[in-house]
Amino acid sequence: MLELEKAVETILASVPAPKSEVIPLADAYRRVASEKIQASTALPPFDNSAVDGYAVRAADVASANSRNPVRLQLSGKIAAGEHFRGELSAGQCIRIFTGSTLPAGADAVVMQEDTRTEPTRPGEVLFLDSAKPWENVRFHGEDVKLGAPVLRPGQILGAAQIGLLAASGVARVSVARRPSVALLATGSELREASSESGLAPGQIYESNRAALAPLIAAAGGVPKIFPIVPDNAEATRAALAGALAECDLIVTCGGVSVGEMDFVKSAFEDLDGQLQFWKVAIKPGRPFVFGHRGEKLLFGLPGNPVSAFVTFLVLARPALLRWQGAEKTGLPISRGLLAEPLSNLDHRRHFIRISLDSEGFVRPAGIQASHILSSLAAANGLLDVPPKTSWAAGTTVPVLCWE
Ligand code: AMP
Ligand code: MG
């Protein structure tokens, strides 16, 4: 049996290099960058005001306070977006707004609340407070210097990164192409949830494709759902052949253990696919197949719903991300505190479904058997517990999150 890290390493080593495409920034949310972008404009692009108020020379208002206001001559107004050509001279102030260009000659902005105007003297402003030099001034380039990196390859574009790129004037961005991922469920007992005739004795509703499709999409893949594959060699081969023809990656579930009804491995080999291993030392999810045919990769997940879910997250998801050149391929980690003692008496490492509450406490989410979906649905994370390990209540533990 393979250790998980070794299995992930083997899988990642088989992932082909990412292919890139250039797309509008507006479509880039959650895509993986495939280029480095350096700022072609500094941010802010010019010195500007942080508040609504008056641009002044700090020295002119140095003595101002509410009992002894300083009176300056109002010499102009700079609206946001306006190109101001004038210059501020001693004894003058200029009306200015948040984001307006700081006029030449000014070295501070006094906010409106610290000033007063008198209807009888419209050309003047009274300053009730002093200003330190450069107070309320936002400097050219203090956010991003000209030429500074604003994107690096492998970075996942979140909302904030997209905002930074837009502020830098980037309208199109080179990102990795998303892999198309065939999603196949095998099992003659499986019925579509939409089936109008309901379940005959011995049948169950197929659920793995429904649960895995969003995980695939969240990892940047484009899931393509194939019809349920009955347990026979011919149907399995035909389905895999179709998946290999249409998609970059293939995720199957079921049909990979040693049962005589398990056809995925032999069908893949019949189609000239090469299998690399089929057992990983984790619970849930021991029977797991990884194979490839050329650049196309096969992830044969076990059929039990929780096993399929967990093996997808720890074994297939990293490959989807690496396929897109993502620099980080592991699940996001949060820290929590065990609310009760927890042990894994097994000789296999156990991914335990837990709930991490808003106070940071971690509790098992229910029965941990690999067919129990309700505890998975009650969970919001997995605890990676090494074999033969007991943790006391209060232990700080890393929680793997998938959403
Ligand atoms: P298998 O890996 O094919 O031996 O399946 C293991 C268990 O998971 C069996 O109880 C199957 O009925 C169940 N199972 C397999 N595939 C699915 C699926 N796609 N949806 C729900 N249950 C499944
Ligand atoms: Mg089966």
Side-chain angles (χ1 to χ4, degrees):
M1 250 191 292
L2 272 175
E3 287 307 320
L4 179 61
E5 280 73 17
K6 181 72 191 144
V8 172
E9 201 182 292
T10 309
I11 291 170
L12 293 183
S14 307
V15 173
K19 300 157 189 68
S20 62
E21 59 185 353
V22 176
I23 61 167
L25 187 64
D27 298 334
Y29 183 55
R30 294 240 168 130
R31 298 294 296 268
V32 182
S34 56
E35 65 173 335
K36 174 180 180 183
I37 297 184
Q38 288 168 292
S40 60
T41 164
L43 289 182
F46 48 87
D47 292 347
N48 68 91
S49 175
V51 295
D52 291 340
Y54 295 88
V56 297
R57 294 177 175 223
D60 285 354
V61 295
S63 67
N65 60 52
S66 53
R67 269 165 295 126
N68 298 298
V70 168
R71 193 181 292 274
L72 297 180
Q73 183 206 336
L74 180 62
S75 70
K77 178 170 108 172
I78 313 175
E82 198 175 304
H83 179 57
F84 187 77
R85 286 170 208 286
E87 190 171 341
L88 185 83
S89 307
Q92 295 183 332
C93 66
I94 292 178
R95 180 80 172 116
I96 198 170
F97 303 93
T98 307
S100 294
T101 316
L102 188 76
D107 67 357
V109 177
V110 176
M111 61 187 200
Q112 192 168 307
E113 291 82 341
D114 293 331
T115 67
R116 212 171 63 220
T117 51
E118 296 163 323
T120 51
R121 305 177 78 157
E124 292 172 2
V125 180
L126 285 170
F127 290 82
L128 313 178
D129 203 356
S130 60
K132 292 191 221 41
W134 307 113
E135 193 167 329
N136 294 323
V137 174
R138 308 194 292 203
F139 294 104
H140 168 251
E142 74 176 351
D143 185 359
V144 177
K145 300 216 170 4
L146 185 68
V150 286
L151 188 68
R152 55 178 193 278
Q155 219 181 340
I156 294 182
L157 286 153
Q161 291 73 36
I162 289 176
L164 174 62
L165 291 174
S168 306
V170 173
R172 297 174 68 73
V173 60
S174 175
V175 296
R177 202 163 70 68
R178 303 173 64 187
S180 56
V181 185
L183 194 43
L184 280 70
T186 71
S188 297
E189 75 283 22
L190 304 174
R191 282 292 163 276
E192 298 282 353
S194 61
S195 115
E196 298 204 338
S197 53
L199 295 177
Q203 297 181 340
I204 60 170
Y205 290 120
E206 196 286 316
S207 62
N208 287 343
R209 291 171 307 163
L212 295 172
L215 294 182
I216 288 170
V222 181
K224 179 164 179 14
I225 296 193
F226 278 65
I228 291 170
V229 184
D231 288 316
N232 73 68
E234 192 41 52
T236 309
R237 214 164 26 235
L240 278 182
L244 280 165
E246 279 185 52
C247 295
D248 299 307
L249 307 176
I250 302 169
V251 172
T252 66
C253 45
V256 291
S257 59
V258 290
E260 57 189 26
M261 287 295 146
D262 294 332
F263 297 103
V264 172
K265 297 192 293 271
S266 51
F268 192 64
E269 284 183 319
D270 288 349
L271 294 164
D272 295 328
Q274 287 176 352
L275 297 178
Q276 301 219 8
F277 53 83
W278 58 283
K279 276 186 176 174
V280 182
I282 58 169
K283 189 173 139 185
R286 179 166 28 188
F288 172 85
V289 167
F290 174 68
H292 66 94
R293 193 179 83 179
E295 292 202 332
K296 308 221 168 177
L297 309 179
L298 170 78
F299 302 91
L301 315 183
N304 269 310
V306 181
S307 307
F309 200 91
V310 170
T311 50
F312 176 85
L313 288 176
V314 299
L315 288 153
R317 182 182 177 277
L320 262 73
L321 289 165
R322 178 58 57 82
W323 202 94
Q324 299 160 83
E327 60 189 13
K328 293 200 187 98
T329 58
L331 285 165
I333 293 177
S334 301
R335 303 231 162 239
L337 223 54
L338 279 183
E340 50 191 81
L342 190 144
S343 10
N344 172 18
L345 304 176
D346 204 285
H347 59 280
R348 272 189 290 164
R349 148 182 197 180
H350 194 173
F351 286 90
I352 292 181
R353 284 148 261 176
I354 57 88
S355 75
L356 169 64
D357 70 20
S358 54
E359 320 265 75
F361 287 108
V362 171
R363 293 179 181 80
I367 301 173
Q368 298 290 327
S370 59
H371 63 293
I372 301 290
L373 266 169
S374 52
S375 59
L376 183 62
N380 58 2
L382 295 171
L383 215 50
D384 177 1
V385 191
K388 306 274 180 213
T389 300
S390 294
W391 285 332
T395 307
T396 300
V397 288
V399 175
L400 302 169
C401 304
W402 62 84
E403 261 161 7

